[in-house]
Amino acid sequence: MNYNVAIIGAGPGGYVAAIRMAQLGLSVILIEENKLGGICLNKGCIPTKALYSATKLIERAEDAQAMGIEFTTPVIDLEKLSSWKEGVISTLVDGTAALLKANGVTVYQTRGRLEGTGRVALSTGKTVDAERIVLATGSSPIEIPGFTFADPHIWSSDDALALREIPRRLLLIGGGVIGLELATIYNRLGSKVTILEMMPEILPGIDLDRRTIATLKRALKAQGITVRVNTAAKSIEETSEGPVVQIGDGDAVAADRILLAVGRRPNSADIGLETVGIEPDRRGFVPVDKKLQTSAPGVYAIGDLVPGPMLAHKGSAEGLNLAASFVGQNYPLDYQTIPQAIFTDPEIASVGLSEARAREEGQDVIVGRFPYAALGKAQGMRETQGFFQVVADAKSKRLLGTQIVGAEASALIAEAALAVQNGLSLETIADSVHAHPTLPEGLKEAAEAALGRAIHAVNR
Ligand code: NAI
C-alpha cells in the first residue's frame, strides 16, 4: 500500500491533519489502534466537559434557592450519567469517522510502528509505504515512586471518568489541570476532596497571575475543597480504614480513593523511532524543528508527542500547519498565542502573556481589569465571581495577553485570542460595539479600564 502520507494516531492532532491533508489532495492513511478521537475525545477533554456541565446542574439546583426557586436535593444515577457521557463520546467518534470517510482518508484500526524510512508496519502483519510519515501518538499518565495504577485504591483520570463510584473521601495527588478539573467534578458529586500539590502554588506549570490563582483558591475553599500546597505525596500505606498517604513530618492524609494526576508522558516508546534513528529527549518527547520535522527525513511529529503545552488545539494547529507545509502553503503557528481553558469553578482561561511574565520580560505594560460583579448579565446569572484582565504594550496599546477567571471564561477567551493572535490593540476591542447585556462586555470594559476610560468602573 502506497500513500503520500501515513499518520499514526487519530487524536485531535492526527485526525485533523488527515482531513486537511486529504482536502489538499494528498492520499492519506490514518492508523489508530484504539477509538478515533484519541484521549481528548474518549478519555479527556470531552468526557470531562460533559461531566462538568452535568454536575454544574447540582450546584445550580442548590443555588437556585437564593433566586426563589427550590428544587429537592438532586439524586445522582451514576450509571445513567455515565451512559449519557458515553453517548456524547460515541456521537463524536461516529462524526469523526464520517468526516474522515467523506474526505477520502483511509482509516486502519490497528497498531502501527515505524519500520525504517517511509514504512509503517501494522500489527496485522501488513506494511504501509508513504512519502511522509506523521507521528501523532499522544501521551499517557505517569506514575510516581510508591504509587501505581495497579493499586486498586489508586485511580488514573481514566478510572475517575469511568464513574464507577463516588468515593466519600477523594485525595487528588497533583494540583495541575487534570487534578483541579476532576476535583471540581467529584466535589459536586459529593466527595470530600483534598488536593495535594508539591509546588508552592497550584497550576504551577501555567503562566497565570497571582490574582487569578487567588480567586480560584478562594472559590475552591468556599466549595469545601481542601488544597494543600508545598505538600508532596511520599508513600502510601494500606490500613484497615483504607489507604493513608504520607506527606512527611509524620503527617498523613486518609482517603477512600486516590487520584494520581501528576503529569503525562509522550507515547514515544515502542513506535519504532530507533528504526529511523530518532532519539527522544530525556522526558520522552520527540524533538522537531520549526517545520515539525524530526531528525529522520520524511518523518514528522505533532501534538503531545513533541515539546510544548499538552493541549488538543495545539496538536490540531500543528496538524493544520503541517498539512499546509506539505503542499507549499502557509498556516501560522505561534506557540505564544495559544489559548488555554481550565474547567474549574470558576473557569480560568488565558492567552498570551500574564502581567507578571510581561514585566519579567522587561516590557512596559498597561493593565486593565473589570469584575464580573459589575456586569448586569453576570448579576442576572448569579455568576459574579471573577474578573477580566488585559495586559497591553504601554506605547502601542497592542494586546499582549488576557486572563479571565469566571463563568464561561473558556468561551470568552476567544475574542482575546483573536486580538492577541492578530496584534490588535486595546482600542480595537474598546471601540467595537458589544451587545448588551452579555458577558463579553467584560473584555471591552477591561480594555476601556486599561485606557483609563471605563464606564462601569471607577477609573483610577
Ligand atoms: P500537570 O503537569 O499539569 O500537573 C501535575 C501536578 O502534579 C504538578 O503541579 C506537580 O507539581 C504535581 N505533583 C507531581 N508530583 C507530586 C507529588 N508527589 N505530590 C504532590 N504533587 C505532585 O499534569 P496533569 O494535571 O496530569 O495534566 C497533564 C497535561 O494535560 C498537562 O499538560 C495539562 O495542561 C493537560 N491538560 C489540559 C487540560 C485543559 O487545558 N483544560 C485538561 C487536562 C489536561
Side-chain angles (χ1 to χ4, degrees):
M1 290 185 287
N2 236 309
Y3 291 85
N4 293 133
V5 189
I7 301 175
I8 307 180
Y15 87 76
V16 168
I19 290 175
R20 179 55 53 84
M21 287 173 192
Q23 286 170 345
L24 292 171
L26 300 168
S27 61
V28 184
I29 180 164
L30 179 62
I31 302 153
E32 168 60 59
E33 64 177 327
N34 295 309
K35 286 202 202 151
L36 296 174
I39 296 294
C40 174
L41 205 168
N42 294 284
K43 291 177 173 178
C45 330
I46 299 302
T48 42
K49 265 81 267 179
L51 295 179
Y52 182 89
S53 78
T55 56
K56 175 99 184 158
L57 294 173
I58 302 171
E59 195 190 272
R60 295 296 285 172
E62 282 165 10
D63 197 44
Q65 239 186 54
M67 296 184 266
I69 301 169
E70 234 170 283
F71 293 95
T72 52
T73 309
V75 178
I76 300 159
D77 181 335
L78 216 48
E79 224 168 274
K80 217 164 167 180
L81 177 58
S82 184
S83 65
W84 170 74
K85 171 207 65 172
E86 289 302 319
V88 171
I89 294 170
S90 61
T91 302
L92 294 170
V93 170
D94 292 349
T96 306
L99 288 171
L100 288 162
K101 191 168 176 215
N103 281 285
V105 174
T106 304
V107 176
Y108 261 56
Q109 292 215 253
T110 177
R111 188 174 169 79
R113 71 195 301 280
L114 284 166
E115 198 181 71
T117 307
R119 178 158 291 184
V120 178
L122 306 180
S123 48
T124 53
K126 288 186 181 156
T127 56
V128 171
D129 289 323
E131 290 147 31
R132 293 172 167 125
I133 296 171
V134 180
L135 305 173
T137 52
S139 62
S140 306
I142 57 174
E143 297 176 332
I144 49 175
F147 296 82
T148 145
F149 296 123
D151 179 334
H153 293 299
I154 299 184
W155 275 357
S156 67
S157 54
D158 291 5
D159 298 309
L161 291 171
L163 285 187
R164 280 187 286 270
E165 62 175 299
I166 303 171
R168 192 170 64 78
R169 297 164 304 172
L170 178 64
L171 178 64
L172 266 302
I173 303 181
V177 184
I178 295 184
L180 289 171
E181 290 191 351
L182 291 171
T184 301
I185 290 169
Y186 272 90
N187 179 61
R188 288 170 174 170
L189 288 172
S191 294
K192 174 80 198 94
V193 177
T194 303
I195 301 172
L196 304 183
E197 169 53 54
M198 68 178 184
M199 300 300 281
E201 207 41 280
I202 52 172
L203 297 171
I206 301 175
D207 180 22
L208 295 170
D209 282 311
R210 275 167 53 185
R211 194 184 292 256
T212 305
I213 296 280
T215 303
L216 175 63
K217 278 175 77 177
R218 261 199 314 277
L220 293 174
K221 192 169 177 198
Q223 289 156 32
I225 297 175
T226 306
V227 177
R228 298 184 67 163
V229 293
N230 288 314
T231 308
K234 300 225 158 82
S235 60
I236 181 168
E237 230 173 79
E238 300 296 336
T239 71
S240 53
E241 312 270 280
V244 172
V245 171
Q246 300 298 328
I247 53 174
D249 294 333
D251 206 355
V253 185
D256 298 298
R257 289 278 177 241
I258 295 156
L259 209 167
L260 195 59
V262 290
R264 303 180 63 87
R265 108 158 38 86
N267 292 331
S268 56
D270 201 25
I271 54 170
L273 294 181
E274 67 292 348
T275 69
V276 292
I278 298 173
E279 285 236 9
D281 72 13
R282 112 194 121 73
R283 292 176 304 159
F285 289 103
V286 171
V288 285
D289 63 14
K290 282 209 168 81
K291 295 188 152 167
L292 300 164
Q293 178 150 9
T294 67
S295 59
V299 181
Y300 301 79
I302 58 174
D304 286 5
L305 189 61
V306 304
M310 287 183 163
L311 298 172
H313 47 279
K314 175 254 194 189
S316 300
E318 286 174 335
L320 295 173
N321 175 277
L322 201 54
S325 75
F326 282 180
V327 296
Q329 293 179 3
N330 185 36
Y331 181 92
L333 185 60
D334 177 1
Y335 290 99
Q336 304 308 314
T337 61
I338 293 177
Q340 168 139 30
I342 305 170
F343 293 80
T344 43
D345 193 358
E347 295 180 9
I348 293 180
S350 63
V351 63
L353 297 177
S354 65
E355 179 184 357
R357 178 68 60 83
R359 292 195 195 281
E360 261 165 48
E361 289 184 2
Q363 306 226 34
D364 185 13
V365 294
I366 51 172
V367 177
R369 278 185 210 99
F370 193 79
Y372 271 67
L375 287 172
K377 174 73 175 183
Q379 285 288 348
M381 292 167 73
R382 257 181 85 75
E383 292 281 6
T384 52
Q385 17 170 21
F387 60 89
F388 296 73
Q389 174 183 290
V390 294
V391 177
D393 179 75
K395 202 152 160 256
S396 68
K397 310 286 189 291
R398 190 165 64 89
L399 187 64
L400 299 173
T402 297
Q403 294 191 5
I404 305 173
V405 48
E408 302 293 339
S410 57
L412 295 165
I413 201 66
E415 183 183 353
L418 181 76
V420 172
Q421 285 165 6
N422 290 283
L424 303 184
S425 69
L426 288 177
E427 282 102 337
T428 314
I429 297 170
D431 295 347
S432 65
V433 180
H434 286 61
H436 177 74
T438 61
L439 295 180
E441 288 177 290
L443 188 71
K444 174 184 160 76
E445 291 273 5
E448 302 259 33
L451 296 166
R453 55 180 218 205
I455 299 286
H456 295 96
V458 179
N459 295 293
R460 293 176 210 282

